[in-house]
Amino acid sequence: MPPGSPGARRTRALWRERGARLALLAAGIWGLTPLLEKLAIAHTAPINPPLVPLASTIDVSLLRFPVVVRRPQRLLTQARRAGRGLLLVGLISGSAPVFGFTALRLGIAGYVTALFTLRIVFVMLWSVLLLGERPSRWARS
C-alpha cells in the first residue's frame, strides 16, 4: 500500500483510534486463546473439556467481583429486575463454552475457531428474532 493511498490513510486513522486499537488487541488475544485452551484441555488427565471454561469463568468472576459488588443494593435491585432473564443468560452463557471446549478437544483448533466466527451470523439472527431489531440495510428495503 503506497504511503499516500486512501488505504494507508485509513490504516493510520485506525491506529489513532483508541477503541480500534483495543479491539485489535482483544482480537489478537482471542485469536491466541483457543490454542492455549486446547493445550489446557489436552493436559487434563483424564481429558476434561468442561474444566477449562470452569477455571476461566472462575478467574474472570473473581476479577469482576470487586467491581460488581461496589454497590450491593444496586446489584440486588438489578438482579431482581432481570429475574428469570438473568438465569436464562447464565444458562446459555454456561452451556455454550462447554460445547465449544468439547469441540476444541475433538476438532482441529483452526477449523473449530473459524466456525466460532459464525456467532456473528447467529447474533444477527437472534437480534432479529428475539429483539425485533432490523439491520439498517433491511430497514430501507
Side-chain angles (χ1 to χ4, degrees):
M1 203 173 343
S5 70
R9 285 193 300 270
R10 279 188 228 117
T11 303
R12 282 193 301 274
L14 186 68
W15 282 111
R16 283 193 298 266
E17 293 292 325
R18 184 171 186 253
R21 287 194 315 266
L22 287 174
L24 288 170
L25 176 64
I29 292 169
W30 277 326
L32 180 62
T33 55
L35 305 174
L36 297 175
E37 291 160 347
K38 184 163 179 119
L39 283 171
I41 291 168
H43 285 89
T44 60
I47 290 178
N48 186 357
L51 180 64
V52 177
L54 174 67
S56 63
T57 300
I58 290 171
D59 291 346
V60 169
S61 298
L62 290 175
L63 288 171
R64 290 181 185 168
F65 185 76
V67 176
V68 171
V69 296
R70 273 190 287 189
R71 294 185 183 158
Q73 279 306 109
R74 185 173 159 196
L75 176 65
L76 292 174
T77 303
Q78 291 171 341
R80 278 191 210 111
R81 188 175 301 142
R84 292 184 182 153
L86 193 59
L87 293 175
L88 181 62
V89 166
L91 179 66
I92 292 169
S93 296
S95 61
V98 171
F99 296 140
F101 283 93
T102 302
L104 268 175
R105 179 181 70 85
L106 298 172
I108 297 171
Y111 293 167
V112 170
T113 305
L115 289 171
F116 286 162
T117 61
L118 282 174
R119 83 175 135 216
I120 296 166
V121 173
F122 285 107
V123 168
M124 292 294 293
L125 177 67
W126 292 125
S127 70
V128 169
L129 295 176
L130 298 177
L131 302 177
E133 295 181 345
R134 309 266 310 160
S136 59
R137 176 87 59 185
W138 293 358
R140 284 187 236 138
S141 315

